């Protein structure tokens, strides 16, 4: 049986070389992409950590997990749904979790869903507890809890950072599993580029401020319904941002500081890339690259000033569009010859490195809920059946499409773009709001405060969103109670700045398109 290495990154939008970003240095992830099938149009089902992770790790949409916030455990609150690692564990795999895989806290029962999901207790890096403390040296020489936090690693508590510790732990587990008779499922959850941007300061050098542009659409668009806007409250709580006295809810953030946020996000991505590089290089050194599927994704995106917005918490592409790629030995790339390395470590500071093209790519729209059936199928396990509606009583089923057909290549030489009818494909996302206008809890409303749900449809041609009344006691959306709508055409308006929804019987159309 093939092993699985699942890499989940926190808050990573597709700002990567392999997704066409010309500025970001991500040579190791690009190298993984060069041996993988990369999905150009993959979307998360809700752009916030816990709901997205519970959704894709169970293969159910947020309306089924009933988790839209950070305050409940699905097995108690919705149904005893199996997870991806649980299914592999029940099929004879040793399942292991390193770093942030499930969102910690009540949403995974304060145990990362142990013992259901994992063969032994998950690993959390010890230095993680300093992430939000005062460890950032400010211009005043004092330590602060800042948003922008490039550090000298020798100076920080414990002399290390969470993602470095997670990489080391994951490599140790790979070494252990090399001699094991059982196949393994290893999930590695990286923290960066999640805020605060606490990363080794040398990565800043890759992104001189004079090379950093603002978002092309850094103003709040005229036609943006206020309910769709997220006021990025989490950023405002950091000391360096507080000092700027930015007006609530729309800002803007001063232009120079916008550049610095973008610089630190990109620097965090390059730091993350080195950790992914070390992990994959170890997989190679242990001769596991010919027997291990590598899946790489993120829980959602992150706005960097687009539409005058920052952070996640919305239905826009910048918040919902994620990287998704699968390396399958012998299928997406030929098996490595003896002594050949597929994943030699690449230094992002080495300017000579060529940009690598993805090995194969699909332009089809896909959803993170497809991860469960796809990993099961690629590993040769039985693919869980499609869920009935409703499926609260069904422990093992999937709400996402199985993406296996994308991996049937006739030969390696033919056109790497895979055919299909993209007109049929839809990715669904949703986001709750407590009110029609942005307020203190608009980014992360608790279940009891949700009054409106924004349901969003993304096709190859458009993104269409309706914000409708929602009853949190009954978990019921009322599609005849439309608070606002948005319609953006991808070709003419790729950044989603020109809302074309003008009370065109939106709700009825949406009902026709619902899954």
């Amino acid at each position: 049986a093939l092993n699985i290495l699942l890499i989940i990154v926190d808050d990573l939008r597709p700002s990567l070389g392999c997704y066409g970003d010309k500025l970001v240095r991500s040579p190791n992830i690009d190298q993984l992409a060069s041996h993988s099938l990369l999905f150009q149009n993959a979307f998360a089902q809700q752009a916030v950590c816990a709901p997205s992770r519970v959704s894709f790790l169970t293969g159910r949409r947020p309306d089924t997990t009933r988790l839209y916030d950070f305050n409940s455990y699905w097995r108690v609150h919705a149904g005893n749904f199996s997870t991806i690692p649980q299914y592999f564990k029940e099929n004879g795999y040793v399942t292991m979790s390193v770093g942030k895989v499930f969102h910690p806290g009540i949403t995974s029962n304060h145990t990362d869903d142990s013992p259901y999901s994992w063969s032994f207790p998950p690993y959390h890096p010890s230095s993680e507890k300093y992430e939000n403390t005062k460890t950032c040296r400010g211009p005043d020489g004092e330590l602060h809890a800042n948003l922008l936090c490039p550090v000298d690693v020798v100076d920080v508590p414990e002399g290390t950072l969470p993602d470095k510790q997670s990489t080391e732990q994951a490599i140790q587990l790979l070494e252990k599993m090399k001699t094991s008779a059982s196949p393994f499922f290893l999930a590695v959850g990286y923290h960066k580029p999640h805020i605060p941007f606490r990363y080794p300061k040398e990565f800043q050098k890759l992104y001189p401020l004079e090379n950093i542009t603002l978002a092309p659409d850094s103003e709040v668009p005229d036609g943006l319904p206020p309910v769709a806007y997220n006021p990025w409250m989490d950023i405002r709580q950091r000391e360096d941002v507080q000092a700027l006295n930015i007006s609530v809810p729309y800002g803007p953030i001063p232009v120079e500081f916008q550049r610095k946020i973008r610089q630190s996000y990109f620097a965090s991505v390059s730091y993350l890339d080195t950790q992914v590089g070390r992990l994959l290089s170890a997989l190679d050194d242990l001769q596991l690259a010919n027997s291990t599927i590598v899946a790489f994704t993120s829980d959602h995106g992150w706005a960097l000033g687009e539409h005058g917005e920052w952070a996640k918490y919305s239905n826009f592409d910048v918040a919902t569009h994620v990287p998704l790629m699968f390396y399958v030995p012998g299928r997406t790339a030929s098996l490595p010859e003896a002594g050949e390395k597929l994943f030699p470590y690449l230094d992002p500071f080495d300017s000579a490195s060529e940009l690598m093209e993805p090995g194969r790519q699909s332009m089809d729209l896909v959803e993170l809920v497809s991860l469960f059936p796809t990993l099961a199928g690629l590993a040769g396990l039985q693919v869980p059946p499609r869920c009935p509606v409703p499926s609260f009583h069904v422990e093992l089923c999937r709400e996402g499409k199985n993406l296996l057909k994308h991996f049937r290549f006739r030969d390696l030489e033919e056109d790497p773009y895979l055919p299909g009818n993209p007109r049929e494909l839809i990715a669904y996302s949703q986001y709750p709001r407590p009110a029609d206008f942005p307020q203190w809890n608009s980014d992360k409303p608790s279940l009891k405060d949700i009054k409106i749900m924004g349901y969003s449809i993304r096709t190859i041609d458009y993104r269409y969103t309706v914000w409708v009344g929602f009853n949190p006691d009954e978990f019921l959306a009322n599609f005849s109670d439309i608070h606002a709508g948005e319609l953006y055409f991808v070709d003419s308006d790729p950044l989603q700045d020109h809302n074309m929804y003008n009370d065109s019987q939106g709700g009825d159309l949406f009902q026709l398109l619902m899954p």
Side-chain angles (χ1 to χ4, degrees):
L2 289 170
N3 307 307
I4 305 273
L5 172 59
L6 170 60
I7 301 171
I8 301 169
V9 186
D10 214 353
D11 291 20
L12 177 66
R13 63 195 239 157
S15 290
L16 299 165
C18 50
Y19 279 86
D21 193 302
K22 302 280 187 275
L23 181 68
V24 173
R25 309 288 290 270
S26 53
N28 294 287
I29 297 168
D30 298 347
Q31 177 169 255
L32 171 63
S34 75
H35 300 301
S36 297
L37 170 60
L38 177 148
F39 288 92
Q40 282 286 355
N41 289 301
F43 291 88
Q45 276 51 77
Q46 190 182 325
V48 68
C49 307
S52 176
R53 288 164 187 262
V54 167
S55 168
F56 71 71
L57 288 166
T58 61
R60 320 273 186 128
R61 301 181 189 280
D63 280 350
T64 304
T65 66
R66 295 187 158 173
L67 182 69
Y68 312 112
D69 61 10
F70 291 80
N71 306 325
S72 68
Y73 181 39
W74 77 91
R75 292 185 192 271
V76 171
H77 182 76
N80 189 24
F81 310 144
S82 296
T83 66
I84 301 175
Q86 176 183 355
Y87 188 59
F88 276 86
K89 183 171 160 232
E90 287 165 357
N91 279 280
Y93 278 68
V94 175
T95 57
M96 302 166 285
S97 172
V98 170
K100 184 176 175 183
V101 178
F102 281 99
H103 193 85
I106 184 60
T107 55
S108 55
N109 205 31
H110 300 285
T111 60
D112 298 277
D113 195 44
S114 297
Y116 295 99
S117 285
W118 310 110
S119 302
F120 42 86
Y123 169 85
H124 288 281
S126 57
S127 65
E128 192 191 330
K129 59 179 167 290
Y130 308 109
E131 277 289 284
N132 292 313
T133 57
K134 299 186 184 228
T135 56
C136 322
R137 182 97 40 212
D140 57 3
E142 301 295 311
L143 292 174
H144 296 277
N146 285 346
L147 175 64
L148 313 180
C149 191
V151 294
D152 198 335
V153 176
V154 293
D155 284 349
V156 298
E158 298 188 20
T160 187
L161 293 171
D163 289 341
K164 285 178 177 286
Q165 287 185 288
S166 292
T167 302
E168 285 155 18
Q169 174 71 14
I171 291 171
Q172 281 178 11
L173 291 173
L174 288 175
E175 286 164 354
K176 231 190 221 137
M177 292 313 297
K178 184 172 165 50
T179 53
S180 153
S182 311
F184 67 82
F185 177 104
L186 172 60
V188 182
Y190 284 115
H191 285 84
K192 289 306 113 187
H194 193 288
I195 64 170
F197 301 123
R198 187 164 165 263
Y199 58 91
K201 64 176 193 292
E202 60 270 22
F203 288 93
Q204 234 176 0
K205 295 196 191 76
L206 291 171
Y207 303 99
L209 271 177
E210 59 270 21
N211 295 359
I212 305 285
T213 58
L214 300 183
D217 55 342
S218 59
E219 311 277 313
V220 181
D222 294 340
L224 182 76
V227 69
Y229 189 84
N230 68 284
W232 33 280
M233 301 307 277
D234 54 349
I235 291 184
R236 298 169 190 271
Q237 284 149 17
R238 310 278 159 173
E239 290 181 34
D240 49 352
V241 180
Q242 269 178 0
L244 299 170
N245 258 335
I246 297 165
S247 90
V248 180
Y250 295 111
I253 293 180
V255 165
E256 257 326 278
F257 202 83
Q258 291 195 36
R259 281 184 213 280
K260 287 181 177 166
I261 296 178
R262 289 171 66 91
Q263 173 192 47
S264 269
Y265 185 90
F266 300 145
S268 300
V269 172
S270 292
Y271 159 56
L272 157 80
D273 182 78
T274 61
Q275 299 310 301
V276 172
R278 295 197 189 289
L279 178 60
L280 293 176
S281 157
L283 190 77
D284 243 347
D285 294 343
L286 293 164
Q287 275 111 43
L288 289 166
N290 57 2
S291 57
T292 305
I293 292 167
V294 182
F296 177 95
T297 192
S298 152
D299 53 358
H300 44 70
W302 213 81
L304 286 167
E306 294 85 2
H307 326 112
E309 292 186 290
W310 301 85
K312 46 236 184 188
Y313 317 123
S314 82
N315 278 321
F316 287 110
D317 280 14
V318 279
T320 54
H321 187 202
V322 291
L324 177 65
M325 62 188 85
F326 297 86
Y327 158 72
V328 186
R331 207 182 279 191
T332 61
S334 23
L335 287 170
E337 314 262 320
E340 181 201 356
K341 296 198 70 167
L342 280 186
F343 305 117
Y345 178 76
L346 300 173
D347 185 345
F349 293 93
D350 177 8
S351 56
S353 60
E354 284 292 289
L355 175 61
M356 291 187 226
E357 292 294 311
R360 299 164 168 281
Q361 38 191 330
S362 168
M363 307 308 280
D364 284 0
L365 278 105
V366 300
E367 305 175 295
L368 283 188
V369 278
S370 287
L371 195 60
F372 194 156
T374 304
L375 283 177
L378 288 172
L381 304 183
Q382 195 169 357
V383 174
R386 282 190 160 272
C387 289
V389 181
S391 66
F392 298 109
H393 58 292
V394 183
E395 292 190 15
L396 179 68
C397 67
R398 60 181 167 103
E399 292 187 353
K401 282 194 170 82
N402 175 359
L403 304 179
L404 233 60
K405 70 171 198 305
H406 294 276
F407 293 85
R408 302 212 175 99
F409 314 120
R410 280 177 294 287
D411 67 7
L412 290 168
E413 273 61 62
E414 65 183 280
D415 178 19
Y417 286 90
L418 298 167
N421 179 2
R423 291 280 172 283
E424 297 163 4
L425 299 163
I426 295 180
Y428 296 91
S429 302
Q430 63 192 100
Y431 212 85
R433 292 283 185 239
D436 285 298
F437 289 86
Q439 60 184 44
W440 68 274
N441 62 343
S442 289
D443 294 338
K444 294 190 276 193
S446 293
L447 175 63
K448 64 178 184 346
D449 297 324
I450 297 173
K451 304 253 189 322
I452 302 158
M453 188 68 75
Y455 286 97
S456 197
I457 286 176
R458 176 67 156 74
T459 71
I460 204 87
D461 300 314
Y462 60 83
R463 175 172 288 290
Y464 177 55
T465 307
V466 284
W467 298 88
V468 300
F470 185 83
N471 175 336
D473 303 321
E474 310 284 328
F475 295 95
L476 269 183
N478 177 359
F479 280 88
S480 55
D481 174 23
I482 294 188
H483 291 236
E486 298 169 88
L487 177 59
Y488 306 101
F489 291 99
V490 174
D491 284 345
S492 56
D493 182 24
L495 300 171
Q496 303 174 342
D497 292 311
H498 304 286
N499 183 7
M500 308 302 279
Y501 179 99
N502 47 19
D503 308 321
S504 55
Q505 290 313 302
D508 307 338
L509 175 58
F510 200 91
Q511 294 265 249
L512 293 173
L513 295 167
M514 276 298 273

